[in-house]
Amino acid sequence: MPLYNHAQYQVATKALLFKDDQILVLITPDGYLDFPGGRADESERNLPWTEALRREVAEELGEQVSIEIGQTLFVSKRQYDKNDETNYIQQYFLNVSTLMATLSFQTSTPIINGLLQKK
């Protein structure tokens, strides 16, 4: 048995995409709320985190969506256990605006079609 149980550490970037008094939220297939973005791939290890965020936004919102990345708004850390190992994710939430594409923010309830209204 090893002396140390090394945890898995991962970094993720998330886009907080604001439009007026609304923020874009994705609804995962299992019903959880999430923001566009995700973990950096192994191949992106030596690139700025913003490049991983651009790739993730293109994957999730479409290649036609061009974004401008602003400042980091906040950072969160979370952990979860998987296969008897503890994993940690540090998420950087960045202020993002769109260029060159129009995203449709539809509202009729606080959460609908991936949209969350700020109260």
Side-chain angles (χ1 to χ4, degrees):
M1 176 176 245
L3 290 175
Y4 300 101
N5 182 9
H6 292 285
Q8 297 288 331
Y9 289 89
Q10 301 168 339
V11 173
T13 53
K14 296 290 186 171
L16 297 182
L17 186 64
F18 296 97
K19 181 180 178 184
D20 301 323
D21 65 343
Q22 302 171 342
I23 185 169
L24 182 67
V25 173
L26 305 178
I27 301 174
T28 66
D30 50 357
Y32 292 101
L33 300 180
D34 198 5
F35 296 100
R39 297 175 207 166
D41 287 343
E42 186 70 29
S43 64
E44 298 166 321
R45 180 176 282 195
N46 295 321
L47 297 175
W49 293 339
T50 53
E51 294 307 309
L53 181 58
R54 287 183 198 287
R55 177 190 52 77
E56 286 284 348
V57 167
E59 284 178 9
E60 295 171 5
L61 302 181
E63 293 287 334
Q64 77 282 3
V65 176
S66 177
I67 60 172
E68 180 177 312
I69 301 174
Q71 67 184 18
T72 300
L73 298 175
F74 63 93
V75 178
S76 75
K77 296 177 188 176
R78 67 180 177 92
Q79 74 180 52
Y80 64 95
D81 293 322
K82 183 176 181 181
N83 300 329
D84 295 326
E85 291 185 356
T86 300
N87 296 271
Y88 299 91
I89 299 178
Q90 184 158 321
Q91 297 178 315
Y92 292 82
F93 291 82
L94 294 102
N95 189 14
V96 173
S97 57
T98 58
L99 310 168
M100 301 172 54
T102 303
L103 294 176
S104 176
F105 283 43
Q106 302 172 2
T107 62
S108 62
T109 61
I111 301 172
I112 187 167
N113 294 332
L115 176 74
L116 178 68
Q117 290 183 309
K118 293 192 292 186
K119 300 269 183 189

